[in-house]
Amino acid sequence: MNDFEILEWDSEFFGFSVARISNSSLDGEALNDVLSDLRKVGTTLVYWPAASRVDAEMMSDLGGTLVDQKTTYVVDLIAQQDMTANADTSIAPVKATTSVSDLESLAVQAGEHSRFAVDPRIPRERFEALYRAWIHQALNQQGSGEVLINGENDRASGMITCGNKNGRGDIGLLAVDASQRGKGLGAKLVRAAQRWFLQKGFRVGQVVTQGSNRAACDLYSRCGYRVDTVEFFYHIWLKED
């Protein structure tokens, strides 16, 4: 059984073969063997969520860089019911008339600390296109999720996407426009998402963010979330541009 999978969506989006290593605990020799197999099938970029930090010099020799300390937070939604009962009702589902350009701008802002923004070998325009694609996916969930926004007159100054991941209420993208930060809007968006999760019958909520994004980590902690898992996410480039 292979310790990797080729990611069709990512490969199509970037225009070259992208794979993900599924074994998070490979030692140096085993990792080298997997990368050798991936080279044979023409892979260009490899994602590896490792269970622990890897020696930087060894990883550099393999073409890899630590691009994210991927942190998953979870929350007991039942325990948060009193906090979510009075969630700001001005935060509501996106409307058909809501400015799409506002939502795309917020999506890009949501990804500023992401591994796709951090990796210098991924062009800025590809990173931005990726997050614009993700907000459009969220808008087209057709009942399985929701995009909640804050704004007036069809303009959005903040947004949060809600869905289902492994039976948990899952926050996908969260962003507050740079001009509106520092006013408590992020917490209001999270509370509104928690209310939506409870209405849908979820008992546990989760969100994945970057360990380097201290503002997001602090926000989720204030809203009752706790760290569940941490992965050290590497990008390994197997071919030159």
Side-chain angles (χ1 to χ4, degrees):
M1 180 173 154
N2 288 332
D3 282 322
F4 64 84
E5 63 174 323
I6 303 299
L7 303 177
E8 294 183 6
W9 192 94
D10 298 59
S11 299
E12 182 177 354
F13 178 83
F14 286 111
F16 48 73
S17 180
V18 181
R20 178 187 175 104
I21 296 176
S22 54
N23 189 333
S24 64
S25 301
L26 296 174
D27 60 23
E29 182 178 355
L31 175 60
N32 204 25
D33 288 343
V34 173
L35 296 178
S36 179
D37 289 341
L38 285 166
R39 286 189 186 92
K40 292 175 184 177
V41 295
T43 306
T44 297
L45 172 60
V46 182
Y47 306 153
W48 185 37
S52 58
R53 193 183 296 269
V54 177
D55 179 76
E57 184 176 354
M58 182 198 80
M59 185 56 65
S60 178
D61 289 342
L62 294 172
T65 305
L66 180 64
V67 289
D68 187 10
Q69 192 167 309
K70 182 179 176 182
T71 307
T72 300
Y73 285 84
V74 297
V75 65
D76 180 345
L77 293 168
I78 304 302
Q80 295 291 310
Q81 286 185 98
D82 291 344
M83 296 295 293
T84 59
N86 297 316
D88 193 333
T89 56
S90 69
I91 297 172
V94 66
K95 299 180 292 185
T97 54
T98 300
S99 167
V100 173
S101 63
D102 282 357
L103 297 174
E104 290 180 341
S105 173
L106 287 167
V108 170
Q109 291 180 66
E112 290 292 354
H113 290 268
S114 76
R115 57 194 173 93
F116 300 102
V118 169
D119 189 334
R121 296 192 61 173
I122 295 179
R124 174 78 188 187
E125 61 88 17
R126 283 284 82 192
F127 148 65
E128 293 186 359
L130 181 63
Y131 274 78
R132 288 195 296 270
W134 280 343
I135 187 59
H136 282 280
Q137 286 182 351
L139 292 169
N140 293 322
Q141 289 180 108
Q142 298 181 340
S144 62
E146 193 70 85
V147 179
L148 305 177
I149 62 167
N150 178 77
E152 297 178 348
N153 301 320
D154 300 329
R155 303 305 303 270
S157 57
M159 66 100 180
I160 191 165
T161 68
C162 310
N164 176 3
K165 188 172 184 179
N166 300 324
R168 295 174 172 177
D170 181 66
I171 293 173
L173 299 175
L174 165 64
V176 174
D177 188 73
S179 66
Q180 299 299 314
R181 293 173 191 167
K183 301 179 181 180
L185 179 52
K188 292 179 180 179
L189 287 162
V190 173
R191 293 300 185 198
Q194 291 176 326
R195 179 180 60 194
W196 187 89
F197 294 143
L198 284 166
Q199 291 171 346
K200 297 298 180 181
F202 293 104
R203 300 180 65 85
V204 177
Q206 74 171 25
V207 63
V208 176
T209 192
Q210 301 81 36
S212 62
N213 190 347
R214 294 315 311 166
C217 293
D218 291 345
L219 168 62
Y220 295 125
S221 294
R222 292 197 306 272
C223 291
Y225 287 76
R226 61 174 178 80
V227 174
D228 185 39
T229 60
V230 176
E231 295 175 301
F232 296 85
F233 221 103
Y234 290 87
H235 281 183
I236 305 170
W237 293 86
L238 301 183
K239 291 183 177 181
E240 295 296 327
D241 290 335

